[in-house]
Amino acid sequence: MGAALLALAPPAPPSVPLTVAARDLPAGTVVAGGDLHTVRVSAASRPSGALDAAGATGRTLASPVRRGEPVTDVRLVGAGLGDAAGPGRVATPVRLADVSTAGLLRVGDRVDVVAASSDAGGDGGRARAVARAAQVLALPDATAPAAGALLAEGGGSGLVVLSTSPVESLALARSAAGGRLSVVLVGQDVPRTP
């Protein structure tokens, strides 16, 4: 009887390979072969933009990927940081005065950049926003070997790459030459400066 029921059961749907994360991977990770493994899923379950191991290896994650999550094209930084900045935007490296602040940031965060300058007057200095709701594109120290140890010990460079308007990039360069730069984390719904 059981054999007859098995013979009448529809065949299993065809399966296709799907590359998934072998472990939790933080944003900014350069994907290595050991970070991935392949599972088989039904063709209908394979997400759009799914990459095979060869297409993902050596590329940088733009956002975190959980263990078992498919690796898709939207999870990876594009061909270069300039492209990742977006239309009409530029990738602007910014060195923060307090290097440990960079350890609080993640790729994709939005920040206001504040410039503080020394003032000989009685108020001790001035601060002003020079870029608003700039998206963090990369954290070079976070991908360097032993970067976590450097940041934890107060080392590291405090370098952050932001998506800014061309006007903001010039203001940031001027401000960095004459003062100290810091960032304030802001929500995703804060409008960017065009």
Side-chain angles (χ1 to χ4, degrees):
M1 176 82 157
L5 288 176
L6 285 176
L8 295 175
S15 66
V16 296
L18 178 64
T19 300
V20 299
R23 60 184 181 85
D24 286 352
L25 301 170
T29 299
V30 177
V31 179
D35 294 329
L36 307 170
H37 70 86
T38 303
V39 297
R40 298 206 59 90
V41 298
S42 70
S45 297
R46 183 179 169 91
S48 215
L51 298 173
D52 61 14
T57 300
R59 297 192 52 199
T60 303
L61 291 176
S63 61
V65 177
R66 291 282 187 196
R67 182 175 60 86
E69 185 177 336
V71 179
T72 63
D73 55 353
V74 297
R75 292 291 192 175
L76 300 169
V77 172
L81 285 174
D83 294 336
R89 312 283 291 172
V90 295
T92 306
V94 174
R95 191 164 310 278
L96 302 177
D98 179 0
V99 297
S100 61
T101 301
L104 300 173
L105 302 176
R106 300 289 174 261
V107 172
D109 283 348
R110 294 217 183 253
V111 296
D112 286 351
V113 182
V114 178
S117 60
S118 179
D119 186 355
D123 66 0
R126 295 173 290 160
R128 63 182 168 53
V130 289
R132 297 218 181 254
Q135 184 176 17
V136 176
L137 297 178
L139 298 160
D141 282 344
T143 58
L150 285 173
L151 290 173
E153 295 168 12
S157 69
L159 185 63
V160 178
V161 182
L162 302 174
S163 170
T164 67
S165 70
V167 170
E168 287 173 323
S169 71
L170 294 174
L172 285 163
R174 278 192 303 271
S175 297
R180 299 168 45 96
L181 298 177
S182 61
V183 294
V184 177
L185 285 155
V186 297
Q188 295 292 327
D189 58 346
V190 174
R192 295 194 303 200
T193 303

